[in-house]
Amino acid sequence: MSVVAVANQKGGVGKTTTTVNLAAAAAAQGHRTLVLDADAQANATSALGAATSGAFLYDALLGQVELSDCIVPTDWPRLEVAPSSMDLVGAELELATRPDREYVLRGTLSGVADSYDLILVDCGPSLGLMTLNALAASDGVIAPVQCEYLALEGLSALLETIRRVQMHLNPGLQLLGVVATMYDGRTRLSQDVAAQLQSHISSMFDTIIPRSIRLSEAPSHQRPIIDYAPTSRGAEAYRELTEELLSRLSALPPSSLYRGGTLDGVSA
């Protein structure tokens, strides 16, 4: 089982799109997959049309319910969601005084770790306590970066946060890669940004996610791109990115964060 955070403190770079479509493509390949919606905007929950059970990730983080009580199925086999809600906005304040505040999500996940092959955490647009929780609970992190210059500016801050998490919270955390998103090959801007990323970031994914009307439409229909427009460029790109991700995960040493469904090395 692998836990992967999809993180970037900048909004609008394709975190949720990447999370949802990687999850759907992995599930289509036969992997038991969970999307954990750690963003109070709950866009991943909405994009997969997940009908909630009345309990949310917020409730599990505060210990009011088990995470398994929150998880709901989707219309796609082997793909489930731990839904979010606006209440998650208050979670950082409520968890801030806990001595284990950076590890609450890891403890919450430990109860369901044995049930999935892949858990993808959709992080919110910040480097606050919830994102730190996601990084502390993950084996690896993917950083989507929009092919615009402003999106490049925040990348160094994210990479520095990952380095600090590796030093102080989760030594086993791996930067699985940076993925260029919203690429428009007709523009010089996209070409220049993609070239800069590839020349400066050694962990770049080979797959580049194109700017696509179909990708933009799919969430409004509450369907992943491989179901909404299976032959589109966006669908093909996310299938290729999923193959790259699974290959990189297979090269990692076995996770030491979760053993036998119990929390390893942290007092919850």
Side-chain angles (χ1 to χ4, degrees), residues 39-51:
D39 182 357
Q41 297 176 86
N43 289 331
T45 302
S46 173
L48 287 169

Side-chain angles (χ1 to χ4, degrees), residues 211-233:
R211 186 177 293 278
S212 164
I213 295 298
R214 295 297 192 189
L215 275 173
S216 300
E217 291 173 346
S220 67
H221 294 270
Q222 299 184 326
R223 295 161 66 187
I225 190 65
I226 64 168
D227 181 64
Y228 177 69
T231 62
S232 66
R233 292 185 303 127

Side-chain angles (χ1 to χ4, degrees), residues 11-34:
V13 299
K15 290 187 297 294
T16 299
T17 298
T18 296
T19 302
V20 165
N21 290 299
L22 282 175
Q29 290 189 25
H31 301 281
R32 299 169 301 164
T33 306
L34 173 68

Side-chain angles (χ1 to χ4, degrees), residues 5 24 32 46 65 71 97 115 118 129-130 140 153 168 180 183 189 191 196 207 216 225 237 240 244 253 261 263:
R32 299 169 301 164
S46 173
V65 297
I71 293 171
T97 58
S115 300
L118 177 63
L129 185 56
M130 280 307 303
E153 292 184 354
H168 302 294
Y183 176 81
L189 176 61
Q191 295 171 16
Q196 286 196 35
T207 304
S216 300
I225 190 65
E240 292 175 0
E244 279 197 82
L263 186 63

Side-chain angles (χ1 to χ4, degrees), residues 107-169:
T108 301
L109 277 173
S110 65
V112 301
D114 283 346
S115 300
Y116 300 96
D117 303 311
L118 177 63
I119 297 175
L120 288 160
V121 185
D122 185 29
C123 298
S126 78
L127 293 177
L129 185 56
M130 280 307 303
T131 297
L132 288 179
N133 264 261
L135 296 176
S138 296
D139 303 296
V141 55
I142 295 173
V145 177
Q146 186 179 359
C147 286
E148 294 184 2
Y149 280 118
L150 289 178
L152 288 174
E153 292 184 354
L155 183 58
S156 60
L158 174 63
L159 297 179
E160 176 61 18
T161 298
I162 292 171
R163 187 185 69 83
R164 290 180 179 274
V165 169
Q166 290 169 330
M167 290 177 59
H168 302 294
L169 299 176

